[in-house]
Amino acid sequence: MSDAPEHLVRSYDIQLKRLRDMLTEMGGMVESQLAMAAEAIMNRDNDAAARAVEEDPKVDALEHEVEQFVIQLLALRQPMAEDLRRIVGALKITSDLERIGDYAANVAKRSVVLAQYNLPYSFAGLAHMASLVQEQLKSIVDAVGTSDTAKAVEVWRSDRVVDDIYNALFRELITYMMEDPRNITPCIHLLFIAKNLERIGDHATNIAETIYYAVEGEVIPDVRPKGDTSAYANIRPKE
Amino acid sequence: MSDAPEHLVRSYDIQLKRLRDMLTEMGGMVESQLAMAAEAIMNRDNDAAARAVEEDPKVDALEHEVEQFVIQLLALRQPMAEDLRRIVGALKITSDLERIGDYAANVAKRSVVLAQYNLPYSFAGLAHMASLVQEQLKSIVDAVGTSDTAKAVEVWRSDRVVDDIYNALFRELITYMMEDPRNITPCIHLLFIAKNLERIGDHATNIAETIYYAVEGEVIPDVRPKGDTSAYANIRPKE
């Protein structure tokens, strides 16, 4: 764009900034969805659950808006190199954020069933997992706004802890189910809630990879942490 | 592109065709991953499971290749209107296909645990669901290759049936768990397998929406079918 008149360059910068602002706005929305969903579980707060679910169409609408804006930018600006990677990256980030919103809404829905049970165990593991994932999400939304690759890599690395808690929780919940069939339905919902949180963490790491690639033009030079191993878990009842 | 020399127009057509070919190749790969995963469950075939999992890095590599090619096309060709929508759509489709591959691999992994159990019930529901999702996937990969919007809308509509089977299966599996704690671990894996199949159906409908939008420039003029309602399911043991 170096040959373009200055006012065109300026309006281009404004458009790129607007794209980033749309993403951080969307990020803020899914952050608050997740906060409401966590609140709904921890405090049996059905109103918070309803609000988290109600946010979903707004998040979807914003995703559609970002997509439209990206297509417009590509058509009008014909961006190159880093700008092009950023604009294409925005498309990936908006899709990850939309999925995070879906998972948060699903957590909120399940909290409504959970609120009907007196659960015989504490939510300590789940609460820990939820707060870690909320931190991950906050950090990565910040990193989107500032193109902070160091922060992105930090989020990417931190996902390992979330996966470890998930794998432990998976086994723990199964043992509760085995102890008393009345625990089965609530524990199934807790399992899916934990899985949703784990997936939110995965999407945060996807966003980290996208930020890094947009800025550096190459992938994060490291092997991705191992992740959810619960697919191989085989827990049997005590004889 | 009407003012461009003919050989440039031709080479552009070739590149667009190559993009479509990459997507259908990727689609074929995840179709075969899903077929192997279904085989692994139904016939306790651990070799098929291993092959489905081994395909995953190849699918990931192809996704990366498609992304690179899209960025290159955007930079060199500066496409407009329908071409631009198709190229941006390819980016979304490759990401949906990659997720479908992940879900298929996860189904395959869980089949290895399942093979160690003598399950006291038939797989009829799950087999039905798997074959419907395989059909959906096949149809949508065909529709990607031919830009067939009518077929895309058909796949989009058919997802409702998959969701209904999933919701019924969810309840059925919970009752098996309640009957005998030895059923809990295998039924949890079956639940997640069913959920993975349901998600594959969702991604097939995403692809349908993308095809439609790329060709028509507008969203499918209909309300999306309702989907997974199991988040609200509350099943209690018989007294």
Side-chain angles (χ1 to χ4, degrees):
Chain A
M1 295 290 296
S2 56
D3 294 339
E6 204 193 327
H7 74 277
L8 274 188
V9 175
R10 247 206 346 262
S11 90
Y12 185 38
D13 283 345
I14 290 170
Q15 285 174 319
L16 288 181
K17 187 181 176 308
R18 180 165 165 226
L19 182 58
R20 218 162 40 230
D21 289 347
M22 286 167 96
L23 290 179
T24 51
E25 185 193 345
M26 195 174 167
M29 284 168 83
V30 301
E31 270 183 66
S32 89
Q33 261 188 303
L34 180 57
M36 288 185 282
E39 170 86 13
I41 301 170
M42 299 308 159
N43 303 331
R44 300 163 177 258
D45 183 340
N46 287 348
D47 285 344
R51 286 201 307 279
V53 175
E54 278 161 21
E55 281 296 293
D56 226 33
K58 294 181 208 163
V59 173
D60 291 353
L62 200 46
E63 183 197 17
H64 190 67
E65 232 179 272
V66 171
E67 286 179 7
Q68 294 298 308
F69 192 55
V70 162
I71 289 182
Q72 203 182 321
L73 273 178
L74 289 171
L76 300 178
R77 294 299 181 168
Q78 304 173 341
M80 303 291 276
E82 186 176 337
D83 283 344
L84 177 55
R85 291 198 306 271
R86 276 174 194 268
I87 292 170
V88 168
L91 212 55
K92 297 182 71 163
I93 290 172
T94 196
S95 147
D96 282 309
L97 290 174
E98 189 272 334
R99 282 304 301 156
I100 290 174
D102 278 352
Y103 284 119
N106 190 273
V107 168
K109 286 178 188 172
R110 292 181 193 276
S111 77
V112 177
V113 180
L114 282 182
Q116 299 171 47
Y117 285 85
N118 273 316
L119 299 171
Y121 35 86
S122 90
F123 283 150
L126 199 73
H128 186 199
M129 195 175 169
S131 82
L132 283 177
V133 171
Q134 282 180 272
E135 266 173 54
Q136 269 187 311
L137 182 56
K138 192 188 171 317
S139 296
I140 208 65
V141 172
D142 288 350
V144 167
T146 55
S147 302
D148 185 337
T149 54
K151 198 170 218 170
V153 172
E154 207 180 285
V155 170
W156 190 77
R157 290 236 165 74
S158 71
D159 198 43
R160 181 60 189 268
V161 184
V162 173
D163 289 337
D164 288 347
I165 301 178
Y166 172 69
N167 290 322
L169 213 55
F170 186 93
R171 288 165 177 277
E172 188 188 343
L173 288 169
I174 288 186
T175 61
Y176 292 136
M177 290 190 230
M178 286 173 176
E179 279 166 25
D180 186 337
R182 285 169 298 186
N183 292 339
I184 289 176
T185 292
C187 283
I188 294 277
H189 287 296
L190 287 170
L191 260 185
F192 275 100
I193 287 170
K195 181 71 199 170
N196 286 341
L197 293 174
E198 190 265 339
R199 290 291 302 142
I200 291 175
D202 283 348
H203 283 281
T205 67
N206 287 349
I207 295 174
E209 289 175 357
T210 303
I211 294 171
Y212 193 93
Y213 184 77
V215 175
E216 305 289 347
E218 53 188 50
V219 297
I220 297 179
D222 201 348
V223 179
R224 185 152 179 170
K226 194 130 173 276
D228 167 14
T229 58
S230 67
Y232 292 117
N234 190 0
I235 300 109
R236 293 176 191 268
K238 292 196 197 85
E239 291 304 315
Chain B
M1 295 290 297
S2 57
D3 295 338
E6 203 192 327
H7 73 277
L8 274 187
V9 176
R10 242 200 356 256
S11 92
Y12 186 38
D13 284 345
I14 289 170
Q15 286 174 318
L16 288 180
K17 186 182 176 307
R18 181 165 164 228
L19 182 59
R20 220 165 35 232
D21 288 347
M22 286 167 97
L23 290 179
T24 50
E25 185 193 344
M26 196 174 166
M29 283 168 85
V30 301
E31 270 183 67
S32 88
Q33 261 188 303
L34 180 57
M36 288 185 281
E39 171 84 14
I41 302 170
M42 299 308 158
N43 304 331
R44 298 162 178 258
D45 183 339
N46 287 348
D47 285 345
R51 286 201 307 278
V53 175
E54 278 161 22
E55 281 296 294
D56 225 32
K58 294 183 210 162
V59 173
D60 291 353
L62 201 45
E63 182 197 18
H64 190 66
E65 232 179 272
V66 171
E67 286 180 8
Q68 294 298 309
F69 191 56
V70 162
I71 289 182
Q72 204 183 320
L73 273 177
L74 289 170
L76 300 178
R77 293 300 181 169
Q78 305 173 341
M80 303 292 275
E82 186 175 338
D83 283 344
L84 178 55
R85 290 198 308 269
R86 275 175 194 269
I87 292 171
V88 167
L91 212 55
K92 298 182 70 162
I93 291 171
T94 195
S95 149
D96 282 309
L97 290 174
E98 189 271 334
R99 281 305 301 156
I100 290 174
D102 278 351
Y103 284 118
N106 190 274
V107 168
K109 286 177 188 173
R110 293 181 192 276
S111 77
V112 177
V113 180
L114 282 182
Q116 299 171 48
Y117 285 85
N118 274 316
L119 299 171
Y121 35 84
S122 91
F123 282 151
L126 199 72
H128 185 200
M129 195 175 169
S131 81
L132 283 176
V133 171
Q134 282 181 271
E135 265 173 55
Q136 268 187 311
L137 182 56
K138 194 189 169 315
S139 296
I140 207 66
V141 172
D142 288 350
V144 167
T146 55
S147 301
D148 185 338
T149 54
K151 198 171 219 169
V153 172
E154 208 179 286
V155 170
W156 190 78
R157 290 236 165 75
S158 71
D159 198 42
R160 181 58 190 268
V161 184
V162 172
D163 288 337
D164 287 346
I165 300 177
Y166 171 69
N167 290 323
L169 213 54
F170 186 93
R171 288 165 178 276
E172 187 187 344
L173 288 169
I174 288 186
T175 61
Y176 292 135
M177 290 189 230
M178 286 173 176
E179 278 166 23
D180 186 338
R182 285 169 298 184
N183 292 340
I184 290 177
T185 292
C187 284
I188 294 277
H189 286 296
L190 286 169
L191 261 184
F192 275 99
I193 287 170
K195 182 71 198 169
N196 286 339
L197 292 173
E198 190 264 339
R199 291 291 302 142
I200 291 176
D202 283 348
H203 283 282
T205 66
N206 288 348
I207 295 174
E209 289 174 358
T210 304
I211 294 171
Y212 193 92
Y213 184 77
V215 175
E216 305 289 346
E218 53 186 51
V219 297
I220 298 179
D222 201 348
V223 179
R224 185 152 178 170
K226 194 128 174 276
D228 166 14
T229 58
S230 67
Y232 292 116
N234 190 0
I235 301 107
R236 292 176 192 267
K238 293 195 196 87
E239 292 304 315

